[in-house]
Amino acid sequence: MTKQENALCILIGGLLLVAALSLTVIPGIRFSGFLALALAGVCVLTIFLGRWAKRSSVGKWCQRIFLAGLAVVLLLFLTVESLLLSHGEQDNSALPVDAVIVLGAGVNGETPSLILQSRINAAAAYIEKHPDVPVVLSGGQGTGEDISEAACMRRALWTNSEEWNARYLLEDRSTSTAENFAFSKELLQEQGIDTDTAVIAVVTSDFHCFRAHFIAQRAGLTVIDVPAEVDWLLLNANYYIREFFALGKTLIFD
């Protein structure tokens, strides 16, 4: 590496370190802070390999392998992000469906998080356009939550008890997206819906649509995406980046 390239790496690494220290203290986007810290480490490793490559043929090969790996990861990242964005920007509100599943997200005590509130807002708008289909509110109770995610959504969407008894189904056992669909599928089948042929609208965050769609299909459901967008751009960008790693975990381990 030339002196200019070294200086550029040092500058980028320093900026990433500052970003990491700033972002890790902001609730909701700590992931981006840790990622910035990891990228700062990549800059340090790039400088080390560049100096090693000048002194050793082994160092040159290690540098080439490292840079090739970075290029592959970057290409994969851009490809996946394009898929996430394409699913997150779909408008399927006019398509006919047989049921709706609203996926839960974090609850702060009894108050919906920004992510959950965006899903509630999207669900309310979608449900109003499709007044005659059953709705499953899906989400259990996690750490730091005084009520289940399903119960939190129910409070926010509450209209009257008669409508709830006739139309809305509460699924409050799930702790993952896979369980969201598995338990919601059971509830819909109990209501006489043939989940093998039914088309189901899934309301979830725009960044989560692609992975949720994949998990739903793996559960044997035919779904369309109903994206919910968060107005806070920094938070949404954080989750889009995090979703790249979450998708990898789903494909490899789940």
Side-chain angles (χ1 to χ4, degrees):
M1 294 179 66
T2 65
K3 290 183 178 180
Q4 291 81 0
E5 289 171 336
N6 272 332
L8 181 60
C9 273
I10 292 171
L11 176 61
I12 294 174
L15 292 174
L16 286 168
L17 186 58
V18 171
L21 294 173
S22 303
L23 295 174
T24 51
V25 300
I26 303 176
I29 58 174
R30 290 192 178 96
F31 174 82
S32 290
F34 292 123
L35 181 60
L37 185 61
L39 291 175
V42 170
C43 289
V44 172
L45 184 57
T46 301
I47 294 171
F48 169 76
L49 289 173
R51 291 179 177 177
W52 186 21
K54 289 180 179 180
R55 303 191 304 267
S56 164
S57 59
V58 175
K60 285 183 179 179
W61 277 106
C62 289
Q63 183 189 43
R64 289 170 182 170
I65 293 170
F66 174 72
L67 293 176
L70 279 183
V72 170
V73 170
L74 179 59
L75 180 60
L76 180 61
F77 175 78
L78 293 175
T79 301
V80 170
E81 289 299 319
S82 67
L83 290 172
L84 299 181
L85 286 167
S86 65
H87 273 256
E89 293 177 352
Q90 292 181 359
D91 181 8
N92 297 313
S93 57
L95 297 178
V97 295
D98 302 293
V100 179
I101 298 176
V102 187
L103 301 185
V107 177
N108 302 316
E110 297 186 5
T111 305
S113 62
L114 284 174
I115 296 296
L116 183 56
Q117 186 60 56
S118 69
R119 296 183 186 184
I120 290 169
N121 295 342
Y126 187 83
I127 290 168
E128 186 176 359
K129 293 178 181 178
H130 300 267
D132 301 320
V133 297
V135 180
V136 180
L137 305 179
S138 179
Q141 183 174 345
T143 304
E145 299 177 341
D146 295 335
I147 58 175
S148 70
E149 296 163 7
C152 186
M153 290 189 284
R154 175 176 178 166
R155 288 184 180 182
L157 294 169
W158 181 271
T159 52
N160 61 70
S161 57
E162 182 179 348
E163 183 182 6
W164 277 100
N165 289 334
R167 185 182 184 195
Y168 291 82
L169 306 171
L170 218 61
E171 187 290 293
D172 57 4
R173 297 183 294 152
S174 56
T175 59
S176 67
T177 304
E179 289 185 351
N180 283 145
F181 288 120
F183 297 152
S184 297
K185 183 178 180 179
E186 291 177 4
L187 286 177
L188 290 172
Q189 289 173 339
E190 290 171 4
Q191 297 299 309
I193 294 176
D194 184 356
T195 54
D196 291 331
T197 59
V199 176
I200 300 170
V202 176
V203 181
T204 189
S205 302
D206 50 4
F207 59 81
H208 187 234
C209 281
F210 181 81
R211 183 159 61 98
H213 196 109
F214 171 77
I215 295 172
Q217 288 184 324
R218 196 161 61 178
L221 299 173
T222 301
V223 300
I224 63 169
D225 307 316
V226 180
E229 183 179 355
V230 179
D231 292 334
W232 189 17
L233 180 61
L234 188 59
L235 182 63
N236 215 27
N238 171 81
Y239 277 100
Y240 262 107
I241 295 171
R242 195 179 81 165
E243 193 67 13
F244 170 78
F245 299 93
L247 180 60
K249 175 181 176 295
T250 297
L251 293 173
I252 296 171
F253 298 108
D254 294 349

